[in-house]
Amino acid sequence: NYTQDYLDIFEGNNRLARFDLDYSFFDLFLGSNFSSNLLIGGGVRAEYIESDRNIGPRSLPDRVDRAVVPYVTLGIDTWNNSLFPTSGLFAQILSEFTNENVNSAGTFSRHLVDAQAALPLPADFTLLPAVYFGTTFGDSLPPHYRFTLGGAGTPMTRLGRELNFMGLRAQSRT
C-alpha cells in the first residue's frame, strides 16, 4: 500500500516545519475469526517512509525511516449493519512493537484503542459516538508515530488496517 500525507512539527505554538511524507507498507496478518463478532490475530508490517522538508530551516534534515513492526490485535463487532448501523458496538485494540536492532527507525511501542457505538434514538435517528485513544513508549519515536491533540483522528501509520464502518461481518449482513 502507498499513501502521501504531510506532518507539521511545532515548537510551542509556532509551526517549525512541514514535511511531505511518502508512506509505503506491506502487511502480513494471521488471525482467526472465532465468531462473526470476534477477531484475534497478529502480524508484521514492513514500512518505508520518506520525509521531505517542505517548509522549515535547513537544519532539519530530510528523513528516510524503515521499520519492521510486529503487532497484535483484538476486534469486537456487534453492529447490526455494516454501512449504516443503528445499534451495536465496534472496538479494536492494537499493540505494535519495534526494535532498532531489527531494521527499524527506533525502539518503541504503540498501543491504540478504537471504539465506536451505534445508539438508537427516537424517530429513526442513530447517534454514532467514537473514541480513539493511543499512547507510545520509547525514547526513539519517529515524528510520524506521535499522537497530536486535535489532530486528524487516525495516525497515518495505521492506514490499511481500518476496519471502521465495514466491521468484521461485511459480507454476511444485508
Side-chain angles (χ1 to χ4, degrees), residues 27-42:
D27 223 341
L28 179 64
F29 179 78
L30 181 62
S32 176
N33 285 337
F34 290 100
S35 69
S36 59
N37 297 54
L38 178 66
L39 168 74
I40 297 175

Side-chain angles (χ1 to χ4, degrees), residues 149-162:
L149 184 61
T154 304
M156 182 190 69
T157 51
R158 190 162 179 258
L159 296 174
R161 204 161 18 274
E162 285 298 306

Side-chain angles (χ1 to χ4, degrees), residues 139-156:
D139 296 330
S140 54
L141 187 68
H144 53 271
Y145 268 91
R146 296 178 184 154
F147 292 100
T148 58
L149 184 61
T154 304
M156 182 190 69

Side-chain angles (χ1 to χ4, degrees), residues 53-103:
R53 185 186 66 254
N54 184 343
I55 300 171
R58 294 186 192 278
S59 61
L60 291 174
D62 295 343
R63 292 177 58 123
V64 173
D65 291 309
R66 294 173 185 85
V68 176
V69 185
Y71 61 89
V72 293
T73 188
L74 169 68
I76 298 170
D77 175 9
T78 63
W79 278 354
N80 66 337
N81 193 321
S82 300
L83 296 177
F84 299 105
T86 57
S87 66
L89 169 76
F90 173 85
Q92 184 178 20
I93 300 169
L94 174 73
S95 290
E96 302 174 323
F97 310 90
T98 66
N99 188 314
E100 60 191 14
N101 297 325
V102 187
N103 196 25

